[in-house]
Amino acid sequence: MNSMVDPLRGIQLLVVDHRSLICKGISSLLMAVPGVKVVEQANNRSQALGIVQTKPADVVLLDIDMPDSEAGICLIAELHLAYPSTRIVVLTNNQDASALRAALRAGALSYLLKSTSIEDLVRAIAAARDGVPTLSPEVTRAV
């Protein structure tokens, strides 16, 4: 993973997943990558919105599947509107074409499945910070 580290220097990341264990696990993996700073973790839409007001993030990594079925898409739209320079990367198990299209319409830059390798996730985060979208190969036909 060292060959991927340089693009991540100084990146500020917010991780959002309603499953606390998943959120902490993803955060731990990413904090082990030099140059990545996980500014905070959130388990729901309101926590995420409160955090970004005080701890700006370059990239928000979030799962669109939350207990309130529309919360993930609403969070993307709210973040995109209020913080247009913050890049939004969806990391989810949801392969549904309508969910992908809704996330991209709401303002997500990238859409990755949780089956993505850590190396590909790191590359996608670096690309997102630079405004370059990434889609998991399994969902590209849906676009």
Side-chain angles (χ1 to χ4, degrees):
M1 203 162 18
N2 284 345
S3 63
M4 294 180 286
V5 190
D6 289 338
L8 293 175
R9 290 279 176 231
I11 194 164
Q12 305 282 322
L13 186 68
L14 169 63
V15 179
V16 184
D17 195 302
H18 77 279
R19 292 173 217 85
S20 182
L21 184 63
I22 300 294
C23 193
K24 288 178 179 168
I26 291 168
S27 296
S28 293
L29 284 170
L30 292 170
M31 285 189 292
V33 177
V36 174
K37 179 178 182 194
V38 176
V39 294
E40 195 68 64
Q41 302 164 30
N43 297 120
N44 59 50
R45 180 178 149 265
S46 61
Q47 279 181 353
L49 289 171
I51 290 166
V52 295
Q53 290 176 3
T54 59
K55 297 179 181 176
D58 301 309
V59 175
V60 175
L61 182 67
L62 67 88
D63 190 347
I64 56 170
D65 292 327
M66 295 187 187
D68 174 358
S69 64
E70 296 298 314
I73 300 299
C74 289
L75 176 57
I76 293 169
E78 290 168 309
L79 289 170
H80 184 65
L81 183 64
Y83 307 95
S85 64
T86 298
R87 309 300 187 185
I88 302 164
V89 175
V90 172
L91 181 64
T92 187
N93 285 321
N94 193 333
Q95 296 186 46
D96 184 66
S98 62
L100 166 64
R101 288 191 295 271
L104 295 177
R105 273 195 306 273
L109 180 63
S110 299
Y111 195 99
L112 303 170
L113 297 179
K114 286 185 177 173
S115 58
T116 298
S117 70
I118 186 65
E119 293 83 7
D120 287 343
L121 178 58
V122 169
R123 278 191 279 274
I125 291 168
R129 185 190 55 191
D130 296 334
V132 178
T134 305
L135 298 176
S136 283
E138 300 90 342
V139 299
T140 55
R141 287 185 291 269
V143 180

